[in-house]
Amino acid sequence: MDQNGYLIQVRDLKKYFYRERLFSAAKEPIRAVNGITFSIRKGETLGLVGESGCGKTTAGKAILRLIEPTSGQILFKGKNILDLNREDLRRLRPQMQFIFQDPYESLNPRMKVGEIVGEGLEVHRLAHGKEKAERVSEILQKVGLHPGDALRYPHEFSGGQRQRIGIARAISLHPELIVADEPVSALDVSIQAQILNLLMDLRDQLGLTYLFISHDLRIIKHISDRIAVMYLGRMVEMAKAEDLFQRPTHPYTQILLQAIPRLGPSRRRSELPFREELRPQTSEKGCPFQPRCSYTKERCQIEEPLLIDQGEEHFVACHLVSRSH
Ligand code: SF4
């Protein structure tokens, strides 16, 4: 943790992918994450919300270096992890863990649950043999599973139980930071609350810090201290959770919030009431939200708005908003 209480500080993080162009040797950049900056205090949960394709999962993976960022800085306890070599990163890895959206795909079907949860302990030489078995048993109980479940295979469990196994694996190495990528969106609505409550209990018991990624603002509101709204690789608004719901300021956030009562569990996010579908930004100029915005004006086509603090840690990137202090 640095002197400001931040566990992690992300500065101007970019992750570009490149795709072939027809009739051209030059490759076209896909700016999946296009310069995001934010910090998370120790013990805090920052919710990262946005439509599918906005770059939030890529951002989460890049922050843990599960994929290599294109540029930027990621300070974990004040140290830039992009400067770490493979061995130093391997040593740091237990402190930063990832929970995947689909627990079934992320669990090796040929491994027993005890092997899955204990694998990290073995790899990082933290426990072996009987001690490892005892640790696995403790961890399984912490996430609401039975010690005997260590001998069963993932396919023998329900979706909610499989996500508990994924969570057990993530906490097995006593991490400080967990990036949870849509951890409840593949689950039945009735099970979602149980897993969210488990994540919140573990945060309090183990002093965890979360970056919690979801397309669903209702879920994000439930668990987050602050919320960051992402659009086409950029942050467009970031505020304390209550403040964001009381004072949504960016036109995109306002539409996301207005859509909540109409979006039942089965509604798809593509049904959000926009003039245009979400498309990659073709021009580097101007506001990325401009093609879908009802308030767009000439300046929006020329100049990209910066994320500016409007007071009380409420940041907004929109030309409609002027600095209030
Ligand atoms: Fe809309 Fe302009 Fe604000 Fe972008 S900067 S959200 S286009 S008003």
Side-chain angles (χ1 to χ4, degrees), residues 250-251 287 289-290 293 295-296 300 305 318-320:
H250 194 282
C287 172
F289 190 57
Q290 188 257 325
C293 184
Y295 306 101
T296 184
C300 307
C318 175
H319 292 313
L320 288 180

Side-chain angles (χ1 to χ4, degrees), residues 236 249-252 286-297 299-301 303-305 316-321:
V236 295
T249 305
H250 194 282
Y252 179 58
C287 172
F289 190 57
Q290 188 257 325
R292 295 168 105 186
C293 184
S294 306
Y295 306 101
T296 184
K297 48 187 178 175
R299 185 182 176 196
C300 307
Q301 295 170 25
E303 194 185 322
E304 183 177 340
V316 185
C318 175
H319 292 313
L320 288 180
V321 183

Side-chain angles (χ1 to χ4, degrees), residues 214-233:
S214 176
H215 68 274
D216 191 331
L217 259 171
R218 290 164 304 183
I219 287 171
I220 285 271
K221 184 187 184 189
H222 193 68
I223 196 168
S224 305
D225 298 303
R226 284 186 301 132
I227 298 173
V229 181
M230 205 167 160
Y231 187 81
L232 280 183

Side-chain angles (χ1 to χ4, degrees), residues 6-168:
Y6 292 122
L7 182 67
I8 186 154
Q9 293 174 279
V10 176
R11 293 180 184 159
D12 199 21
L13 183 71
K14 293 182 180 165
K15 176 62 187 176
Y16 292 177
F17 299 98
Y18 293 89
R19 70 176 166 206
E20 305 282 340
R21 278 184 220 252
L22 274 181
F23 314 118
S24 168
K27 291 192 176 163
E28 182 184 13
I30 309 290
R31 299 175 181 91
V33 177
N34 202 6
I36 59 171
T37 295
F38 63 91
S39 306
I40 315 178
R41 297 183 184 90
K42 185 163 173 53
E44 189 182 37
T45 297
L46 179 70
L48 185 57
V49 71
E51 284 167 277
S52 178
C54 73
K56 55 193 190 304
T57 294
T58 305
K61 287 186 173 167
I63 286 158
L64 297 194
R65 276 189 71 181
L66 297 178
I67 54 175
E68 282 301 321
T70 303
S71 63
Q73 281 191 326
I74 302 162
L75 305 178
F76 183 75
K77 299 184 188 173
K79 193 184 267 188
N80 186 5
I81 66 165
L82 298 188
D83 291 341
L84 299 182
N85 62 29
R86 189 185 284 253
E87 181 50 28
D88 288 342
L89 185 63
R90 197 191 70 81
R91 269 193 242 120
L92 188 69
R93 191 57 80 203
Q95 297 180 46
M96 305 185 305
Q97 292 290 302
F98 197 89
I99 296 174
F100 294 86
Q101 174 177 2
D102 187 336
Y104 197 64
E105 274 190 11
S106 69
L107 302 175
N108 186 336
R110 284 184 290 278
M111 286 170 78
K112 289 182 183 159
V113 168
E115 293 167 332
I116 292 170
V117 176
E119 190 179 21
L121 296 170
E122 195 80 52
V123 168
H124 292 279
R125 302 192 191 104
L126 296 172
H128 307 277
K130 190 163 171 266
E131 192 193 347
K132 186 179 92 173
E134 284 170 4
R135 290 273 291 273
V136 167
S137 169
E138 255 173 53
I139 295 162
L140 289 178
Q141 290 178 79
K142 232 182 228 331
V143 300
L145 293 170
H146 190 271
D149 291 334
L151 300 174
R152 299 167 66 196
Y153 288 94
H155 74 266
E156 298 176 59
F157 294 85
S158 67
Q161 286 172 323
R162 284 200 292 263
Q163 194 53 289
R164 287 177 194 270
I165 298 166
I167 294 168

Side-chain angles (χ1 to χ4, degrees), residues 306-316 322-325:
L306 300 174
L307 193 66
I308 292 174
D309 191 355
Q310 303 299 317
E312 298 183 35
E313 291 192 282
H314 194 143
F315 292 82
V316 185
S322 59
R323 199 168 184 157
S324 62
H325 68 288

